[in-house]
Amino acid sequence: MAMRDLVTGGAACAVPGSSSSSNPFGALANAILGSSSKTQELKGLPGSAVNVPEASSDYRPAAPLTTIPGSEYESQQDQRPDARTSEFLHGFHSTDHGGLAEAWDEIHRSPVFPPAQFRENEAHFEEFERVYNANPLQPTWDGPPQRVLSSVLHSFLGSDQAGVPFRPTALPVLGLSEGDKQCIRDRSCIMARHIFADKSEEYIQSQVNALLHSLDIDSNHQIRGSMHGPHSELEGYWNESQGAMIPRMPNPVDGWITEFSQQRENDNPAAWANSFEQMHGANGWASEFEQDLKMGHMRDANLANLAAMEQSRMLAQTLGQNRDPKFQKSKFLQFVSKMSRGELIIDENQIKPGTNSLAGDWANEYQAQYDVGPKSWADQFQQEELSRGTDNWVHEFSKEHQRPDEKWVDEFSKLNMNDWVEEFGQQVSEGAFGESSADVWADDYDKYLDDQLRASKQRSGASRGVYVFSDMNPYVGHPNPLKEGQELFRKGLLSEAVLALEAEVLKNPDNAEGWRLLGITHAENDDDQQAIAAMMRAQEADPSNLEVLLALGVSHTNELEQAEALKYLYRWLQNHPKYGSLAPVQQADSLYYADVARLFNEAAQMSPEDADVHVVLGVLYNLSREYDKAIAAFQEALKIKPRDYSLWNKLGATQANSVQSADAILAYQQALDLKPNYVRAWANMGISYANQGLYEDSIRYYVRALAMNPKAENAWQYLRISLSCASRNDLFAACDSRNLDVLQKEFPL
Amino acid sequence: MASSLKSAALLEQMKLHFATEEGKKLTKKIGLVYQLNIAPKKLGVDEEIYVVDLKEGKVTKGPYDGKPDATFSFTDSDFLAMASGKLNPQMAFLRGAIKIKGSISAAQKFTPDIFPKPSKL
């Protein structure tokens, strides 16, 4: 789980108004929930019944801790009965906080915690202090409330082991800020799902509610939406246009924007207008803007017009909301709204009326019909027409049809203009676009920009096979992150394991095992891009590792990258000690699927008792979409290794892809019985339900998968599609803002 | 394994999807014919042409015999992004990433939910 993110301020859970990484409560919750998870055992995991008492000694190395700035606080805190603490304890016993004292005693004397665990608690404090002390900006250490909080969180975590539900306790006012509360709330929700993976949803809910109630945290959803008002939105659009026009509109415009946004922040529009008029005269602005535009070098006027019109439309809309009469009459606003209607276009650094061309006439005519109708569509459409410009259209058409220009007009009008207009009007009257299509467009546009941003990030990172590390990683500096990561992986805490393993490979970049396990973890967490990136590094470090080669083959198959997948599966064969002799060395680039399949079949005949060969065969048959053979191969492998959860998932996925969704769900269920936190299987369940048209069910499974790994991009996209198919457009906002609380409440599993 | 396009794999799956109840519902719901011109890297270069026939419920390679309701030009990765919901077709169209010919109302029914989602091994 991206638990660390939630608290340490990762992208998935930015808590408005709190810099969570630097607040002591957040750090505390982080340390307690995060490290205590080690003591949890997942019931559904055979062979993972680990008690970790000896591991706690790993937590107490003297060396790394003393090197951290602010560690002077630590020694103070380590001598536990220091003056302030005991005074605090004394205070509690002497006053009326009976409930608290009880809770406190329970935590420290309770038989639930064996002696070994005591040591570990101290270890948690140490870890917490380390995190806390790393931030010297907050020197006022206020011990008592943190201790109280930590006890509560510990007893919450302990309640699973004890087998008794967590009881709400009365606590003194802890003075948690909204941000802290949110952190604790989010984190405990996700954590609870891990700890109580074998319990029902209601049980988890009640547990979390009890905890939150004790801490006086509102368990209801608190608005997490972005704080951006219309101003920053405007700025965003404007910046986007800058992006599109960078070569053409250099610095002068930037300066103007900065000035504009600065002025914009003053809440008083009148004052703003005044001051601007003072500076530039009432009409100076418009001319300045014009000048600036002229100064820019607009190489591609058409594209710029498209962008400029979009921008000015947005600008006009926003500006139009300003009621100040002076402003409403200003030339600038007129200018902008003219731009947005296409009456003015910017062409070769000149501002021209937009009616000087055939396209202009078209546009006017078109617009005349549409003045009543939904503006934004008309605008968009018109922009498209204008932006291509007469020349482009003519070229395109004459190229395609090899006809003179006059014919094009006929052709085109015959083709679909009127159809489109009619169809569009019809759809609008049918309400296909809802009441406010302008808003829809703006939303779509907004989302698109986001997507672009994310896509470009991805392009520069994961898809090129470059591993993208998490921003904040509490395991950096851990003495043995690999061991920690293995432990977390075994317990199914996949997102935590990712962090620990990232810390390991940061420390030892050539550790093939670290990279391999990291890749496996990402694959189980339903992120093939990152899995591939990690596996590539593992392969660099250890080119002949069979598990790595197979995993790369599988992930590339999932990403539909057939040639790559085939390459790695072939290398698996080449590097296999037993079957290597079957594979001729020479062909590496020119692989034929049929040859590879034949070789693997030979291998399977050589040793039918080797489950791995059947697994590779199954993957290969997936590549060639011979699903029946693939299913048979996986079933063969499962006879040999019936408790391999990833095999059950592979079987299920193959069945799902060959449209046997009902069988697939049974196979996934097997996988989940063996590994309850297998995010990939949860997400696959959702896919199978969606492909059968059972959208409500699919939503439940997607949400469940996302609750365990909010970074599973695909699941978010699929969730949105299912929401739309289930006509639950009301939840789009929750989906887009990634608000899992709302979604979980609406679709409990 | 004939085509190296990722889209081809998805369209193969679409073929199977049409055999299911849910796939058959699609043909009733939409009943339109789309032609897809899919280019490996750059729009219009080395295109492979597929027809997704939501009238008859089939996917075929090669241009449509007749007039499709709408014709789309994609790059391979844009098509996948669109089919998986990552890319909004309307916005991609405005950006010039997708080209569309034919009826716009037909084009608007070309949405991610008509494509089956590949399950992951």
Side-chain angles (χ1 to χ4, degrees):
Chain A
M1 222 34 20
M3 212 86 56
R4 300 283 176 188
D5 270 2
L6 288 173
V7 171
T8 52
C13 170
V15 179
S18 81
S19 60
S20 18
S21 57
S22 63
N23 82 60
F25 287 110
L28 175 70
N30 198 16
I32 303 286
L33 290 173
S35 55
S36 286
S37 60
K38 284 189 305 304
T39 65
Q40 302 306 321
E41 295 163 29
L42 279 171
K43 300 256 148 57
L45 268 183
S48 73
V50 223
N51 280 315
V52 218
E54 68 275 35
S56 63
S57 57
D58 287 337
Y59 266 84
R60 323 200 58 176
L65 292 182
T66 49
T67 57
I68 292 164
S71 49
E72 60 271 22
Y73 288 105
E74 203 170 281
S75 50
Q76 213 184 358
Q77 287 297 328
D78 259 350
Q79 298 150 6
R80 285 249 238 123
D82 84 78
R84 264 185 299 170
T85 316
S86 51
E87 191 186 296
F88 161 70
L89 282 175
H90 182 71
F92 268 113
H93 285 298
S94 59
T95 52
D96 261 341
H97 295 293
L100 171 73
E102 234 178 78
W104 181 262
D105 289 342
E106 188 185 313
I107 279 122
H108 284 84
R109 284 201 219 110
S110 156
V112 168
F113 290 90
Q117 225 123 16
F118 257 104
R119 268 194 291 132
E120 195 160 62
N121 281 352
E122 287 173 40
H124 297 324
F125 283 121
E126 256 179 38
E127 199 197 14
F128 160 54
E129 280 152 16
R130 199 172 38 145
V131 176
Y132 174 76
N133 287 334
N135 174 15
L137 287 177
Q138 302 200 356
T140 47
W141 170 274
D142 189 11
Q146 272 92 345
R147 281 290 161 83
V148 175
L149 183 58
S150 85
S151 315
V152 174
L153 294 177
H154 271 302
S155 67
F156 174 64
L157 290 167
S159 65
D160 177 49
Q161 285 180 329
V164 288
F166 177 77
R167 281 186 329 225
T169 353
L171 290 175
V173 176
L174 291 173
L176 297 169
S177 75
E178 282 306 300
D180 300 330
K181 287 181 178 179
Q182 182 124 12
C183 285
I184 296 170
R185 190 172 54 84
D186 290 344
R187 217 185 137 104
S188 54
C189 284
I190 295 178
M191 203 63 218
R193 241 160 272 285
H194 280 299
I195 306 172
F196 306 117
D198 53 339
K199 302 266 177 31
S200 73
E201 182 72 14
E202 295 88 60
Y203 181 80
I204 297 173
Q205 286 288 348
S206 70
Q207 288 290 288
V208 174
N209 284 341
L211 174 71
L212 297 180
H213 185 72
S214 306
L215 294 174
D216 191 27
I217 297 173
D218 184 8
S219 61
N220 288 327
H221 150 66
Q222 290 168 25
I223 298 132
R224 200 193 290 160
S226 69
M227 301 283 282
H228 300 305
H231 300 342
S232 55
E233 195 183 332
L234 175 68
E235 206 171 270
Y237 284 120
W238 187 253
N239 288 340
E240 168 68 11
S241 87
Q242 291 300 295
M245 292 194 274
I246 276 168
R248 302 170 287 278
M249 298 180 87
N251 298 330
V253 185
D254 280 342
W256 176 73
I257 290 162
T258 330
E259 205 175 329
F260 180 69
S261 59
Q262 272 168 8
Q263 296 290 344
R264 220 30 213 181
E265 274 159 24
N266 294 338
D267 279 342
N268 182 350
W272 170 61
N274 279 344
S275 73
F276 206 92
E277 274 183 29
Q278 267 169 22
M279 275 159 66
H280 302 276
N283 296 326
W285 201 6
S287 55
E288 195 185 85
F289 184 64
E290 268 174 58
Q291 241 173 14
D292 281 345
L293 290 179
K294 280 179 199 162
M295 278 157 71
H297 301 283
M298 310 199 28
R299 272 195 311 227
D300 185 347
N302 281 335
L303 189 72
N305 274 342
L306 170 66
M309 276 181 61
E310 175 61 19
Q311 299 320 314
S312 40
R313 190 177 68 77
M314 295 296 178
L315 198 56
Q317 224 176 32
T318 315
L319 296 177
Q321 285 161 7
N322 189 323
R323 296 260 164 76
D324 186 32
K326 207 180 235 166
F327 186 71
Q328 283 294 336
K329 276 183 211 147
S330 77
K331 266 197 177 179
F332 177 68
L333 183 59
Q334 285 167 19
F335 172 74
V336 170
S337 52
K338 269 188 186 168
M339 286 258 300
S340 72
R341 288 196 299 268
E343 288 170 31
L344 287 173
I345 59 169
I346 297 165
D347 188 21
E348 304 287 349
N349 297 347
Q350 305 270 319
I351 295 170
K352 290 178 182 169
T355 50
N356 60 348
S357 64
L358 193 59
D361 289 340
W362 267 84
N364 278 351
E365 204 180 308
Y366 189 74
Q367 192 174 356
Q369 292 178 30
Y370 263 86
D371 270 343
V372 243
K375 253 300 187 14
S376 61
W377 255 99
D379 280 350
Q380 299 282 2
F381 183 74
Q382 193 181 320
Q383 277 168 32
E384 192 60 25
E385 296 295 293
L386 270 177
S387 72
R388 294 184 174 211
T390 41
D391 291 354
N392 286 355
W393 269 104
V394 170
H395 277 307
E396 215 168 277
F397 261 86
S398 55
K399 231 191 292 175
E400 267 174 46
H401 300 272
Q402 298 296 330
R403 284 187 188 124
D405 289 0
E406 297 85 65
K407 282 203 174 172
W408 162 70
V409 179
D410 291 346
E411 175 85 0
F412 189 73
S413 56
K414 217 169 31 187
L415 197 73
N416 40 28
M417 259 323 264
N418 287 329
D419 291 353
W420 280 24
V421 171
E422 273 167 29
E423 267 170 13
F424 185 74
Q426 229 174 17
Q427 289 196 348
V428 170
S429 59
E430 283 166 15
F433 301 105
E435 282 171 16
S436 50
S437 59
D439 289 351
V440 174
W441 267 104
D443 282 356
D444 278 355
Y445 191 74
D446 222 15
K447 192 160 167 289
Y448 179 70
L449 296 186
D450 274 6
D451 290 350
Q452 288 298 90
L453 209 71
R454 227 177 285 147
S456 66
K457 236 192 209 162
Q458 289 230 319
R459 227 171 287 141
S460 63
S463 61
R464 262 199 239 135
V466 179
Y467 190 83
V468 183
F469 284 95
S470 307
D471 292 340
M472 307 281 274
N473 191 337
Y475 290 93
V476 170
H478 189 285
N480 193 351
L482 179 60
K483 193 173 176 208
E484 185 71 30
Q486 287 166 333
E487 207 53 33
L488 289 166
F489 174 78
R490 200 143 53 117
K491 286 174 196 144
L493 301 174
L494 298 177
S495 295
E496 283 296 287
V498 163
L499 290 173
L501 292 166
E502 282 183 0
E504 168 65 24
V505 297
L506 281 170
K507 202 165 121 192
N508 305 314
D510 294 327
N511 184 346
E513 176 55 19
W515 283 111
R516 184 193 71 82
L517 192 56
L518 183 54
I520 296 280
T521 313
H522 273 302
E524 294 193 2
N525 226 353
D526 209 28
D527 189 342
D528 276 305
Q529 297 276 353
Q530 286 279 75
I532 290 174
M535 283 299 180
M536 301 268 277
R537 296 293 302 268
Q539 206 226 348
E540 262 170 46
D542 181 1
S544 61
N545 186 314
L546 295 178
E547 285 171 277
V548 171
L549 291 168
L550 175 56
L552 276 167
V554 171
S555 281
H556 280 295
T557 305
N558 286 336
E559 294 290 292
L560 305 174
E561 290 155 354
Q562 308 184 30
E564 290 290 297
L566 199 57
K567 184 174 90 188
Y568 287 111
L569 295 177
Y570 185 69
R571 282 202 201 150
W572 184 92
L573 195 68
Q574 278 182 321
N575 285 295
H576 199 284
K578 215 161 161 190
Y579 318 118
S581 54
L582 289 173
V585 193
Q586 84 283 358
Q587 40 167 304
D589 295 322
S590 58
L591 287 172
Y592 288 103
Y593 169 79
D595 295 341
V596 181
R598 183 177 46 79
L599 293 173
F600 271 99
N601 272 316
E602 280 174 33
Q605 275 161 16
M606 263 171 76
S607 45
E609 74 291 348
D610 183 351
D612 287 351
V613 184
H614 295 292
V615 175
V616 183
L617 260 178
V619 178
L620 266 178
Y621 285 128
N622 259 288
L623 270 183
S624 62
R625 292 184 283 277
E626 294 168 82
Y627 294 117
D628 292 343
K629 287 184 185 174
I631 290 169
F634 287 134
Q635 277 167 343
E636 202 60 40
L638 273 168
K639 275 184 204 157
I640 304 162
K641 283 185 178 174
R643 300 194 67 79
D644 185 335
Y645 53 81
S646 79
L647 268 180
W648 282 109
N649 178 65
K650 285 185 175 68
L651 175 64
T654 310
Q655 287 168 329
N657 286 339
S658 76
V659 298
Q660 306 172 17
S661 295
D663 292 342
I665 283 168
L666 293 178
Y668 295 142
Q669 200 58 61
Q670 292 277 356
L672 288 172
D673 286 347
L674 291 164
K675 179 150 192 170
N677 285 1
Y678 196 1
V679 177
R680 167 146 291 169
W682 286 109
N684 274 338
M685 280 274 214
I687 291 173
S688 279
Y689 280 114
N691 284 348
Q692 291 179 84
L694 303 167
Y695 297 110
E696 296 261 346
D697 291 308
S698 78
I699 293 169
R700 290 176 210 286
Y701 285 93
Y702 290 141
V703 170
R704 178 67 183 254
L706 287 165
M708 286 191 271
N709 180 17
K711 286 180 180 169
E713 269 315 304
N714 279 331
W716 281 113
Q717 311 297 352
Y718 293 168
L719 171 62
R720 202 172 199 281
I721 296 172
S722 279
L723 284 172
S724 129
C725 290
S727 308
R728 291 305 304 265
N729 299 21
D730 54 316
L731 288 171
F732 276 180
C735 178
D736 292 345
S737 62
R738 316 223 144 166
N739 189 333
L740 281 166
D741 295 328
V742 170
L743 293 163
Q744 277 175 332
K745 202 165 273 174
E746 200 69 28
F747 292 100
L749 191 65
Chain B
M1 302 290 286
S3 170
S4 59
L5 293 181
K6 295 188 233 173
S7 309
L10 186 71
L11 289 168
E12 283 295 324
Q13 206 186 332
M14 183 98 194
K15 267 186 200 171
L16 293 175
H17 188 56
F18 278 133
T20 65
E21 280 303 306
E22 197 49 29
K24 282 175 190 142
K25 270 189 225 156
L26 274 180
T27 57
K28 274 187 213 124
K29 196 174 110 196
I30 296 177
L32 296 164
V33 178
Y34 297 111
Q35 180 172 319
L36 312 179
N37 303 341
I38 300 173
K41 289 259 150 35
K42 198 162 165 280
L43 270 190
V45 180
D46 298 331
E47 282 178 340
E48 287 182 28
I49 298 177
Y50 291 89
V51 171
V52 176
D53 186 339
L54 289 157
K55 247 185 214 139
E56 304 278 323
K58 55 185 184 182
V59 180
T60 51
K61 200 168 175 186
Y64 187 59
D65 189 17
K67 189 171 168 260
D69 293 288
T71 302
F72 293 84
S73 302
F74 290 104
T75 62
D76 193 23
S77 51
D78 278 348
F79 174 66
L80 277 190
M82 195 238 109
S84 63
K86 283 191 193 80
L87 185 68
N88 177 334
Q90 286 171 346
M91 296 319 293
F93 172 66
L94 286 177
R95 284 292 178 107
I98 299 180
K99 291 197 176 169
I100 307 176
K101 268 191 266 177
S103 145
I104 205 162
S105 76
Q108 278 175 340
K109 287 185 188 154
F110 193 74
T111 48
D113 54 283
I114 62 179
F115 294 98
K117 312 285 167 280
S119 303
K120 306 240 171 156
L121 297 180

